[in-house]
PDB file of all heavy atoms in Angstrom:
ATOM      1  N   SER A   5     159.993 132.934 161.968  1.00 91.00           N
ATOM      2  CA  SER A   5     160.745 134.048 162.768  1.00 91.00           C
ATOM      3  C   SER A   5     162.126 133.503 162.955  1.00 91.00           C
ATOM      4  O   SER A   5     162.436 132.415 162.859  1.00 91.00           O
ATOM      5  CB  SER A   5     159.931 134.210 164.038  1.00 91.00           C
ATOM      6  OG  SER A   5     160.130 133.173 164.939  1.00 91.00           O
ATOM      7  N   VAL A   6     162.868 134.525 163.351  1.00 94.00           N
ATOM      8  CA  VAL A   6     164.312 134.137 163.682  1.00 94.00           C
ATOM      9  C   VAL A   6     164.328 133.164 164.811  1.00 94.00           C
ATOM     10  O   VAL A   6     165.107 132.116 164.836  1.00 94.00           O
ATOM     11  CB  VAL A   6     165.068 135.448 164.108  1.00 94.00           C
ATOM     12  CG1 VAL A   6     166.507 135.104 164.513  1.00 94.00           C
ATOM     13  CG2 VAL A   6     165.096 136.481 162.918  1.00 94.00           C
ATOM     14  N   ASN A   7     163.491 133.325 165.911  1.00 92.00           N
ATOM     15  CA  ASN A   7     163.454 132.333 166.924  1.00 92.00           C
ATOM     16  C   ASN A   7     163.040 131.010 166.521  1.00 92.00           C
ATOM     17  O   ASN A   7     163.559 129.942 166.950  1.00 92.00           O
ATOM     18  CB  ASN A   7     162.492 132.885 168.033  1.00 92.00           C
ATOM     19  CG  ASN A   7     162.998 133.872 168.924  1.00 92.00           C
ATOM     20  OD1 ASN A   7     164.312 133.891 169.110  1.00 92.00           O
ATOM     21  ND2 ASN A   7     162.219 134.767 169.320  1.00 92.00           N
ATOM     22  N   ASP A   8     162.034 130.888 165.640  1.00 90.00           N
ATOM     23  CA  ASP A   8     161.660 129.557 164.926  1.00 90.00           C
ATOM     24  C   ASP A   8     162.796 128.921 164.278  1.00 90.00           C
ATOM     25  O   ASP A   8     163.026 127.761 164.467  1.00 90.00           O
ATOM     26  CB  ASP A   8     160.551 129.786 163.926  1.00 90.00           C
ATOM     27  CG  ASP A   8     159.211 130.225 164.533  1.00 90.00           C
ATOM     28  OD1 ASP A   8     159.054 129.990 165.839  1.00 90.00           O
ATOM     29  OD2 ASP A   8     158.321 130.688 163.731  1.00 90.00           O
ATOM     30  N   VAL A   9     163.437 129.730 163.551  1.00 91.00           N
ATOM     31  CA  VAL A   9     164.678 129.160 162.803  1.00 91.00           C
ATOM     32  C   VAL A   9     165.765 128.589 163.784  1.00 91.00           C
ATOM     33  O   VAL A   9     166.273 127.532 163.625  1.00 91.00           O
ATOM     34  CB  VAL A   9     165.310 130.067 161.896  1.00 91.00           C
ATOM     35  CG1 VAL A   9     166.598 129.712 161.225  1.00 91.00           C
ATOM     36  CG2 VAL A   9     164.307 130.529 160.654  1.00 91.00           C
ATOM     37  N   ALA A  10     166.010 129.416 164.801  1.00 93.00           N
ATOM     38  CA  ALA A  10     166.999 129.033 165.852  1.00 93.00           C
ATOM     39  C   ALA A  10     166.668 127.557 166.384  1.00 93.00           C
ATOM     40  O   ALA A  10     167.479 126.787 166.392  1.00 93.00           O
ATOM     41  CB  ALA A  10     167.148 130.029 166.886  1.00 93.00           C
ATOM     42  N   GLU A  11     165.406 127.389 166.695  1.00 90.00           N
ATOM     43  CA  GLU A  11     164.895 126.225 167.179  1.00 90.00           C
ATOM     44  C   GLU A  11     164.919 125.032 166.174  1.00 90.00           C
ATOM     45  O   GLU A  11     165.346 123.827 166.503  1.00 90.00           O
ATOM     46  CB  GLU A  11     163.493 126.293 167.884  1.00 90.00           C
ATOM     47  CG  GLU A  11     163.467 126.996 169.090  1.00 90.00           C
ATOM     48  CD  GLU A  11     162.019 127.109 169.649  1.00 90.00           C
ATOM     49  OE1 GLU A  11     161.093 126.320 169.289  1.00 90.00           O
ATOM     50  OE2 GLU A  11     161.877 128.012 170.445  1.00 90.00           O
ATOM     51  N   MET A  12     164.521 125.379 164.952  1.00 89.00           N
ATOM     52  CA  MET A  12     164.623 124.500 163.856  1.00 89.00           C
ATOM     53  C   MET A  12     165.948 123.851 163.563  1.00 89.00           C
ATOM     54  O   MET A  12     166.082 122.693 163.050  1.00 89.00           O
ATOM     55  CB  MET A  12     163.985 125.036 162.628  1.00 89.00           C
ATOM     56  CG  MET A  12     162.531 125.332 162.661  1.00 89.00           C
ATOM     57  SD  MET A  12     161.919 126.352 161.413  1.00 89.00           S
ATOM     58  CE  MET A  12     161.716 125.013 160.079  1.00 89.00           C
ATOM     59  N   VAL A  13     167.078 124.686 163.829  1.00 91.00           N
ATOM     60  CA  VAL A  13     168.424 124.155 163.533  1.00 91.00           C
ATOM     61  C   VAL A  13     169.205 123.785 164.861  1.00 91.00           C
ATOM     62  O   VAL A  13     170.307 123.670 164.784  1.00 91.00           O
ATOM     63  CB  VAL A  13     169.146 125.311 162.769  1.00 91.00           C
ATOM     64  CG1 VAL A  13     168.557 125.478 161.340  1.00 91.00           C
ATOM     65  CG2 VAL A  13     169.416 126.546 163.496  1.00 91.00           C
ATOM     66  N   GLY A  14     168.413 123.564 165.882  1.00 90.00           N
ATOM     67  CA  GLY A  14     168.994 122.973 167.112  1.00 90.00           C
ATOM     68  C   GLY A  14     169.571 123.846 168.076  1.00 90.00           C
ATOM     69  O   GLY A  14     170.548 123.454 168.924  1.00 90.00           O
ATOM     70  N   TYR A  15     168.994 125.165 168.243  1.00 92.00           N
ATOM     71  CA  TYR A  15     169.544 126.141 169.192  1.00 92.00           C
ATOM     72  C   TYR A  15     168.395 126.562 170.133  1.00 92.00           C
ATOM     73  O   TYR A  15     167.385 127.165 169.544  1.00 92.00           O
ATOM     74  CB  TYR A  15     170.181 127.400 168.658  1.00 92.00           C
ATOM     75  CG  TYR A  15     171.551 127.082 167.962  1.00 92.00           C
ATOM     76  CD1 TYR A  15     171.661 126.713 166.621  1.00 92.00           C
ATOM     77  CD2 TYR A  15     172.702 127.250 168.616  1.00 92.00           C
ATOM     78  CE1 TYR A  15     172.812 126.433 165.982  1.00 92.00           C
ATOM     79  CE2 TYR A  15     173.871 127.017 168.045  1.00 92.00           C
ATOM     80  CZ  TYR A  15     173.965 126.657 166.700  1.00 92.00           C
ATOM     81  OH  TYR A  15     175.095 126.422 166.120  1.00 92.00           O
ATOM     82  N   ASN A  16     168.434 126.164 171.369  1.00 90.00           N
ATOM     83  CA  ASN A  16     167.254 126.633 172.233  1.00 90.00           C
ATOM     84  C   ASN A  16     167.751 127.899 172.962  1.00 90.00           C
ATOM     85  O   ASN A  16     167.010 128.340 173.754  1.00 90.00           O
ATOM     86  CB  ASN A  16     166.868 125.485 173.218  1.00 90.00           C
ATOM     87  CG  ASN A  16     167.971 125.064 174.059  1.00 90.00           C
ATOM     88  OD1 ASN A  16     169.146 125.470 173.901  1.00 90.00           O
ATOM     89  ND2 ASN A  16     167.741 124.030 174.891  1.00 90.00           N
ATOM     90  N   ASN A  17     169.002 128.360 172.775  1.00 91.00           N
ATOM     91  CA  ASN A  17     169.492 129.570 173.392  1.00 91.00           C
ATOM     92  C   ASN A  17     169.751 130.683 172.195  1.00 91.00           C
ATOM     93  O   ASN A  17     170.683 130.583 171.374  1.00 91.00           O
ATOM     94  CB  ASN A  17     170.745 129.262 174.062  1.00 91.00           C
ATOM     95  CG  ASN A  17     171.530 130.376 174.693  1.00 91.00           C
ATOM     96  OD1 ASN A  17     171.294 131.596 174.339  1.00 91.00           O
ATOM     97  ND2 ASN A  17     172.272 130.086 175.773  1.00 91.00           N
ATOM     98  N   TYR A  18     168.825 131.541 172.039  1.00 92.00           N
ATOM     99  CA  TYR A  18     168.835 132.469 170.992  1.00 92.00           C
ATOM    100  C   TYR A  18     170.061 133.337 171.057  1.00 92.00           C
ATOM    101  O   TYR A  18     170.632 133.383 169.965  1.00 92.00           O
ATOM    102  CB  TYR A  18     167.720 133.439 171.046  1.00 92.00           C
ATOM    103  CG  TYR A  18     167.769 134.494 169.944  1.00 92.00           C
ATOM    104  CD1 TYR A  18     167.415 134.190 168.616  1.00 92.00           C
ATOM    105  CD2 TYR A  18     168.144 135.749 170.175  1.00 92.00           C
ATOM    106  CE1 TYR A  18     167.593 134.985 167.574  1.00 92.00           C
ATOM    107  CE2 TYR A  18     168.289 136.744 169.108  1.00 92.00           C
ATOM    108  CZ  TYR A  18     167.976 136.310 167.870  1.00 92.00           C
ATOM    109  OH  TYR A  18     168.209 137.204 166.876  1.00 92.00           O
ATOM    110  N   PRO A  19     170.647 133.899 172.082  1.00 94.00           N
ATOM    111  CA  PRO A  19     171.956 134.634 172.074  1.00 94.00           C
ATOM    112  C   PRO A  19     173.057 133.834 171.445  1.00 94.00           C
ATOM    113  O   PRO A  19     173.811 134.348 170.648  1.00 94.00           O
ATOM    114  CB  PRO A  19     172.130 135.102 173.433  1.00 94.00           C
ATOM    115  CG  PRO A  19     170.754 135.024 174.173  1.00 94.00           C
ATOM    116  CD  PRO A  19     170.131 133.915 173.503  1.00 94.00           C
ATOM    117  N   TYR A  20     173.075 132.522 171.910  1.00 94.00           N
ATOM    118  CA  TYR A  20     174.191 131.713 171.323  1.00 94.00           C
ATOM    119  C   TYR A  20     173.959 131.516 169.762  1.00 94.00           C
ATOM    120  O   TYR A  20     174.899 131.468 169.023  1.00 94.00           O
ATOM    121  CB  TYR A  20     174.259 130.365 172.048  1.00 94.00           C
ATOM    122  CG  TYR A  20     175.299 129.505 171.583  1.00 94.00           C
ATOM    123  CD1 TYR A  20     176.754 129.865 171.807  1.00 94.00           C
ATOM    124  CD2 TYR A  20     175.163 128.319 170.966  1.00 94.00           C
ATOM    125  CE1 TYR A  20     177.730 129.135 171.389  1.00 94.00           C
ATOM    126  CE2 TYR A  20     176.189 127.407 170.749  1.00 94.00           C
ATOM    127  CZ  TYR A  20     177.498 127.798 170.789  1.00 94.00           C
ATOM    128  OH  TYR A  20     178.477 127.002 170.282  1.00 94.00           O
ATOM    129  N   PHE A  21     172.838 131.231 169.290  1.00 95.00           N
ATOM    130  CA  PHE A  21     172.437 131.091 167.978  1.00 95.00           C
ATOM    131  C   PHE A  21     172.859 132.352 167.194  1.00 95.00           C
ATOM    132  O   PHE A  21     173.427 132.257 166.184  1.00 95.00           O
ATOM    133  CB  PHE A  21     170.896 130.762 167.744  1.00 95.00           C
ATOM    134  CG  PHE A  21     170.570 130.889 166.242  1.00 95.00           C
ATOM    135  CD1 PHE A  21     170.877 130.023 165.389  1.00 95.00           C
ATOM    136  CD2 PHE A  21     169.779 132.020 165.953  1.00 95.00           C
ATOM    137  CE1 PHE A  21     170.511 130.117 164.030  1.00 95.00           C
ATOM    138  CE2 PHE A  21     169.402 132.216 164.543  1.00 95.00           C
ATOM    139  CZ  PHE A  21     169.757 131.224 163.591  1.00 95.00           C
ATOM    140  N   ALA A  22     172.418 133.586 167.657  1.00 95.00           N
ATOM    141  CA  ALA A  22     172.726 134.755 167.032  1.00 95.00           C
ATOM    142  C   ALA A  22     174.174 134.997 166.844  1.00 95.00           C
ATOM    143  O   ALA A  22     174.677 135.463 165.736  1.00 95.00           O
ATOM    144  CB  ALA A  22     172.048 135.976 167.859  1.00 95.00           C
ATOM    145  N   SER A  23     175.005 134.688 167.975  1.00 95.00           N
ATOM    146  CA  SER A  23     176.457 134.858 167.821  1.00 95.00           C
ATOM    147  C   SER A  23     177.061 133.867 166.930  1.00 95.00           C
ATOM    148  O   SER A  23     177.970 134.215 166.107  1.00 95.00           O
ATOM    149  CB  SER A  23     177.168 134.773 169.285  1.00 95.00           C
ATOM    150  OG  SER A  23     177.058 133.597 169.801  1.00 95.00           O
ATOM    151  N   SER A  24     176.632 132.711 166.876  1.00 95.00           N
ATOM    152  CA  SER A  24     177.138 131.648 166.006  1.00 95.00           C
ATOM    153  C   SER A  24     176.832 132.019 164.467  1.00 95.00           C
ATOM    154  O   SER A  24     177.565 131.957 163.595  1.00 95.00           O
ATOM    155  CB  SER A  24     176.516 130.373 166.226  1.00 95.00           C
ATOM    156  OG  SER A  24     176.992 129.824 167.473  1.00 95.00           O
ATOM    157  N   PHE A  25     175.663 132.515 164.229  1.00 95.00           N
ATOM    158  CA  PHE A  25     175.037 132.916 162.952  1.00 95.00           C
ATOM    159  C   PHE A  25     175.851 134.072 162.518  1.00 95.00           C
ATOM    160  O   PHE A  25     176.354 134.105 161.317  1.00 95.00           O
ATOM    161  CB  PHE A  25     173.611 133.388 163.059  1.00 95.00           C
ATOM    162  CG  PHE A  25     172.945 133.566 161.741  1.00 95.00           C
ATOM    163  CD1 PHE A  25     172.287 132.532 160.955  1.00 95.00           C
ATOM    164  CD2 PHE A  25     173.076 134.814 161.102  1.00 95.00           C
ATOM    165  CE1 PHE A  25     171.932 132.718 159.887  1.00 95.00           C
ATOM    166  CE2 PHE A  25     172.544 134.988 159.828  1.00 95.00           C
ATOM    167  CZ  PHE A  25     171.843 133.963 159.256  1.00 95.00           C
ATOM    168  N   LYS A  26     176.112 135.155 163.395  1.00 96.00           N
ATOM    169  CA  LYS A  26     176.910 136.204 162.980  1.00 96.00           C
ATOM    170  C   LYS A  26     178.357 135.836 162.576  1.00 96.00           C
ATOM    171  O   LYS A  26     178.877 136.390 161.541  1.00 96.00           O
ATOM    172  CB  LYS A  26     176.991 137.287 164.060  1.00 96.00           C
ATOM    173  CG  LYS A  26     177.637 138.609 163.582  1.00 96.00           C
ATOM    174  CD  LYS A  26     177.442 139.698 164.739  1.00 96.00           C
ATOM    175  CE  LYS A  26     178.115 140.921 164.207  1.00 96.00           C
ATOM    176  NZ  LYS A  26     178.035 141.983 165.172  1.00 96.00           N
ATOM    177  N   ARG A  27     178.952 134.957 163.391  1.00 95.00           N
ATOM    178  CA  ARG A  27     180.310 134.438 163.011  1.00 95.00           C
ATOM    179  C   ARG A  27     180.306 133.837 161.611  1.00 95.00           C
ATOM    180  O   ARG A  27     181.321 133.946 160.766  1.00 95.00           O
ATOM    181  CB  ARG A  27     180.745 133.481 164.011  1.00 95.00           C
ATOM    182  CG  ARG A  27     181.736 134.081 165.050  1.00 95.00           C
ATOM    183  CD  ARG A  27     182.556 132.987 165.900  1.00 95.00           C
ATOM    184  NE  ARG A  27     181.652 131.849 166.332  1.00 95.00           N
ATOM    185  CZ  ARG A  27     180.921 132.041 167.527  1.00 95.00           C
ATOM    186  NH1 ARG A  27     181.050 133.114 168.312  1.00 95.00           N
ATOM    187  NH2 ARG A  27     180.209 130.979 167.862  1.00 95.00           N
ATOM    188  N   PHE A  28     179.272 133.028 161.306  1.00 95.00           N
ATOM    189  CA  PHE A  28     179.240 132.242 160.060  1.00 95.00           C
ATOM    190  C   PHE A  28     178.843 133.095 158.924  1.00 95.00           C
ATOM    191  O   PHE A  28     179.450 133.017 157.828  1.00 95.00           O
ATOM    192  CB  PHE A  28     178.265 131.130 160.225  1.00 95.00           C
ATOM    193  CG  PHE A  28     178.277 130.210 159.157  1.00 95.00           C
ATOM    194  CD1 PHE A  28     179.196 129.129 159.051  1.00 95.00           C
ATOM    195  CD2 PHE A  28     177.404 130.254 158.003  1.00 95.00           C
ATOM    196  CE1 PHE A  28     179.247 128.289 158.086  1.00 95.00           C
ATOM    197  CE2 PHE A  28     177.441 129.262 157.040  1.00 95.00           C
ATOM    198  CZ  PHE A  28     178.388 128.325 157.103  1.00 95.00           C
ATOM    199  N   HIS A  29     177.792 133.861 159.030  1.00 95.00           N
ATOM    200  CA  HIS A  29     177.262 134.687 157.880  1.00 95.00           C
ATOM    201  C   HIS A  29     177.741 136.207 157.868  1.00 95.00           C
ATOM    202  O   HIS A  29     177.543 136.830 156.839  1.00 95.00           O
ATOM    203  CB  HIS A  29     175.689 134.778 157.912  1.00 95.00           C
ATOM    204  CG  HIS A  29     175.094 133.376 157.464  1.00 95.00           C
ATOM    205  ND1 HIS A  29     175.073 132.943 156.160  1.00 95.00           N
ATOM    206  CD2 HIS A  29     174.665 132.309 158.178  1.00 95.00           C
ATOM    207  CE1 HIS A  29     174.499 131.785 156.205  1.00 95.00           C
ATOM    208  NE2 HIS A  29     174.228 131.465 157.453  1.00 95.00           N
ATOM    209  N   GLY A  30     178.425 136.627 158.956  1.00 95.00           N
ATOM    210  CA  GLY A  30     178.905 137.966 158.965  1.00 95.00           C
ATOM    211  C   GLY A  30     177.940 139.112 159.305  1.00 95.00           C
ATOM    212  O   GLY A  30     178.228 140.373 159.304  1.00 95.00           O
ATOM    213  N   CYS A  31     176.637 138.686 159.739  1.00 95.00           N
ATOM    214  CA  CYS A  31     175.711 139.641 160.098  1.00 95.00           C
ATOM    215  C   CYS A  31     174.715 139.029 161.005  1.00 95.00           C
ATOM    216  O   CYS A  31     174.587 137.735 160.990  1.00 95.00           O
ATOM    217  CB  CYS A  31     174.961 140.359 158.920  1.00 95.00           C
ATOM    218  SG  CYS A  31     174.004 139.314 157.994  1.00 95.00           S
ATOM    219  N   PRO A  32     174.019 139.773 161.901  1.00 95.00           N
ATOM    220  CA  PRO A  32     173.058 139.082 162.804  1.00 95.00           C
ATOM    221  C   PRO A  32     171.856 138.441 162.028  1.00 95.00           C
ATOM    222  O   PRO A  32     171.638 138.878 160.852  1.00 95.00           O
ATOM    223  CB  PRO A  32     172.561 140.256 163.639  1.00 95.00           C
ATOM    224  CG  PRO A  32     173.506 141.288 163.502  1.00 95.00           C
ATOM    225  CD  PRO A  32     174.286 141.102 162.129  1.00 95.00           C
ATOM    226  N   PRO A  33     171.211 137.459 162.552  1.00 95.00           N
ATOM    227  CA  PRO A  33     170.131 136.746 161.893  1.00 95.00           C
ATOM    228  C   PRO A  33     169.049 137.690 161.519  1.00 95.00           C
ATOM    229  O   PRO A  33     168.482 137.523 160.311  1.00 95.00           O
ATOM    230  CB  PRO A  33     169.694 135.721 162.896  1.00 95.00           C
ATOM    231  CG  PRO A  33     170.435 135.860 164.068  1.00 95.00           C
ATOM    232  CD  PRO A  33     171.478 136.904 163.896  1.00 95.00           C
ATOM    233  N   LEU A  34     168.631 138.610 162.262  1.00 94.00           N
ATOM    234  CA  LEU A  34     167.565 139.583 161.944  1.00 94.00           C
ATOM    235  C   LEU A  34     167.933 140.412 160.589  1.00 94.00           C
ATOM    236  O   LEU A  34     167.101 140.693 159.811  1.00 94.00           O
ATOM    237  CB  LEU A  34     167.118 140.411 163.151  1.00 94.00           C
ATOM    238  CG  LEU A  34     165.843 141.116 163.019  1.00 94.00           C
ATOM    239  CD1 LEU A  34     164.738 140.187 162.722  1.00 94.00           C
ATOM    240  CD2 LEU A  34     165.545 142.037 164.301  1.00 94.00           C
ATOM    241  N   GLN A  35     169.067 140.829 160.730  1.00 94.00           N
ATOM    242  CA  GLN A  35     169.535 141.785 159.550  1.00 94.00           C
ATOM    243  C   GLN A  35     169.594 140.787 158.143  1.00 94.00           C
ATOM    244  O   GLN A  35     169.105 141.266 157.183  1.00 94.00           O
ATOM    245  CB  GLN A  35     170.982 142.349 159.755  1.00 94.00           C
ATOM    246  CG  GLN A  35     171.543 143.063 158.622  1.00 94.00           C
ATOM    247  CD  GLN A  35     172.949 143.614 158.981  1.00 94.00           C
ATOM    248  OE1 GLN A  35     173.479 143.549 160.073  1.00 94.00           O
ATOM    249  NE2 GLN A  35     173.633 143.905 157.847  1.00 94.00           N
ATOM    250  N   TYR A  36     170.134 139.601 158.438  1.00 95.00           N
ATOM    251  CA  TYR A  36     170.164 138.661 157.289  1.00 95.00           C
ATOM    252  C   TYR A  36     168.770 138.434 156.831  1.00 95.00           C
ATOM    253  O   TYR A  36     168.591 138.440 155.489  1.00 95.00           O
ATOM    254  CB  TYR A  36     170.863 137.338 157.792  1.00 95.00           C
ATOM    255  CG  TYR A  36     171.023 136.352 156.659  1.00 95.00           C
ATOM    256  CD1 TYR A  36     172.222 136.302 155.953  1.00 95.00           C
ATOM    257  CD2 TYR A  36     170.126 135.368 156.341  1.00 95.00           C
ATOM    258  CE1 TYR A  36     172.495 135.399 154.986  1.00 95.00           C
ATOM    259  CE2 TYR A  36     170.301 134.478 155.388  1.00 95.00           C
ATOM    260  CZ  TYR A  36     171.442 134.492 154.676  1.00 95.00           C
ATOM    261  OH  TYR A  36     171.585 133.533 153.651  1.00 95.00           O
ATOM    262  N   LYS A  37     167.874 138.194 157.613  1.00 93.00           N
ATOM    263  CA  LYS A  37     166.450 137.989 157.186  1.00 93.00           C
ATOM    264  C   LYS A  37     165.864 139.086 156.494  1.00 93.00           C
ATOM    265  O   LYS A  37     165.334 138.989 155.464  1.00 93.00           O
ATOM    266  CB  LYS A  37     165.596 137.677 158.367  1.00 93.00           C
ATOM    267  CG  LYS A  37     164.173 137.272 158.126  1.00 93.00           C
ATOM    268  CD  LYS A  37     163.452 136.887 159.447  1.00 93.00           C
ATOM    269  CE  LYS A  37     161.949 136.488 159.119  1.00 93.00           C
ATOM    270  NZ  LYS A  37     161.865 135.323 158.156  1.00 93.00           N
ATOM    271  N   LYS A  38     166.070 140.312 157.020  1.00 92.00           N
ATOM    272  CA  LYS A  38     165.526 141.532 156.310  1.00 92.00           C
ATOM    273  C   LYS A  38     166.161 141.687 154.883  1.00 92.00           C
ATOM    274  O   LYS A  38     165.589 142.155 153.938  1.00 92.00           O
ATOM    275  CB  LYS A  38     165.796 142.750 157.171  1.00 92.00           C
ATOM    276  CG  LYS A  38     165.042 142.880 158.249  1.00 92.00           C
ATOM    277  CD  LYS A  38     165.281 144.036 159.249  1.00 92.00           C
ATOM    278  CE  LYS A  38     164.379 144.077 160.459  1.00 92.00           C
ATOM    279  NZ  LYS A  38     164.757 145.132 161.307  1.00 92.00           N
ATOM    280  N   GLU A  39     167.377 141.437 154.743  1.00 92.00           N
ATOM    281  CA  GLU A  39     168.155 141.543 153.379  1.00 92.00           C
ATOM    282  C   GLU A  39     167.876 140.508 152.513  1.00 92.00           C
ATOM    283  O   GLU A  39     168.139 140.739 151.337  1.00 92.00           O
ATOM    284  CB  GLU A  39     169.609 141.705 153.763  1.00 92.00           C
ATOM    285  CG  GLU A  39     170.010 143.004 154.390  1.00 92.00           C
ATOM    286  CD  GLU A  39     171.536 142.995 154.847  1.00 92.00           C
ATOM    287  OE1 GLU A  39     172.308 142.110 154.532  1.00 92.00           O
ATOM    288  OE2 GLU A  39     171.836 144.087 155.489  1.00 92.00           O
ATOM    289  N   ASN A  40     167.578 139.293 152.958  1.00 90.00           N
ATOM    290  CA  ASN A  40     167.483 138.070 152.075  1.00 90.00           C
ATOM    291  C   ASN A  40     166.115 137.399 152.094  1.00 90.00           C
ATOM    292  O   ASN A  40     165.870 136.571 151.250  1.00 90.00           O
ATOM    293  CB  ASN A  40     168.409 137.033 152.491  1.00 90.00           C
ATOM    294  CG  ASN A  40     169.863 137.574 152.306  1.00 90.00           C
ATOM    295  OD1 ASN A  40     170.421 137.698 151.315  1.00 90.00           O
ATOM    296  ND2 ASN A  40     170.486 137.841 153.438  1.00 90.00           N
ATOM    297  N   GLU A  41     165.111 138.072 152.649  1.00 82.00           N
ATOM    298  CA  GLU A  41     163.702 137.486 152.734  1.00 82.00           C
ATOM    299  C   GLU A  41     163.079 137.441 151.291  1.00 82.00           C
ATOM    300  O   GLU A  41     163.229 138.439 150.537  1.00 82.00           O
ATOM    301  CB  GLU A  41     162.876 138.180 153.629  1.00 82.00           C
ATOM    302  CG  GLU A  41     161.703 137.495 154.160  1.00 82.00           C
ATOM    303  CD  GLU A  41     160.972 138.120 155.215  1.00 82.00           C
ATOM    304  OE1 GLU A  41     160.500 139.213 155.066  1.00 82.00           O
ATOM    305  OE2 GLU A  41     160.822 137.594 156.269  1.00 82.00           O
ATOM    306  N   ILE A  42     162.665 136.341 150.853  1.00 79.00           N
ATOM    307  CA  ILE A  42     161.976 136.208 149.699  1.00 79.00           C
ATOM    308  C   ILE A  42     160.442 136.346 149.883  1.00 79.00           C
ATOM    309  O   ILE A  42     159.817 135.628 150.645  1.00 79.00           O
ATOM    310  CB  ILE A  42     162.270 134.732 149.018  1.00 79.00           C
ATOM    311  CG1 ILE A  42     163.825 134.600 148.807  1.00 79.00           C
ATOM    312  CG2 ILE A  42     161.455 134.670 147.662  1.00 79.00           C
ATOM    313  CD1 ILE A  42     164.094 133.162 148.326  1.00 79.00           C
ATOM    314  N   THR A  43     159.935 137.288 149.160  1.00 65.00           N
ATOM    315  CA  THR A  43     158.481 137.677 149.366  1.00 65.00           C
ATOM    316  C   THR A  43     157.425 136.727 148.846  1.00 65.00           C
ATOM    317  O   THR A  43     156.292 136.638 149.225  1.00 65.00           O
ATOM    318  CB  THR A  43     158.175 139.146 148.881  1.00 65.00           C
ATOM    319  OG1 THR A  43     158.547 139.116 147.520  1.00 65.00           O
ATOM    320  CG2 THR A  43     158.933 140.123 149.720  1.00 65.00           C
ATOM    321  N   ASN A  44     157.861 135.946 147.780  1.00 52.00           N
ATOM    322  CA  ASN A  44     156.922 135.065 147.183  1.00 52.00           C
ATOM    323  C   ASN A  44     157.025 133.575 147.560  1.00 52.00           C
ATOM    324  O   ASN A  44     157.122 132.738 146.790  1.00 52.00           O
ATOM    325  CB  ASN A  44     157.093 135.107 145.557  1.00 52.00           C
ATOM    326  CG  ASN A  44     156.834 136.489 145.031  1.00 52.00           C
ATOM    327  OD1 ASN A  44     156.039 137.287 145.613  1.00 52.00           O
ATOM    328  ND2 ASN A  44     157.473 136.793 143.891  1.00 52.00           N
TER     329      ASN A  44
END
């Protein structure tokens, strides 16, 4: 999940993770996950 990933990369504050992720990748983590998730 997005929360799992946030914790796995050292963020215990989800809003801070989400804003950092958006700055880096250009979209929120949930949107990124939906667009890039590999089903297999």
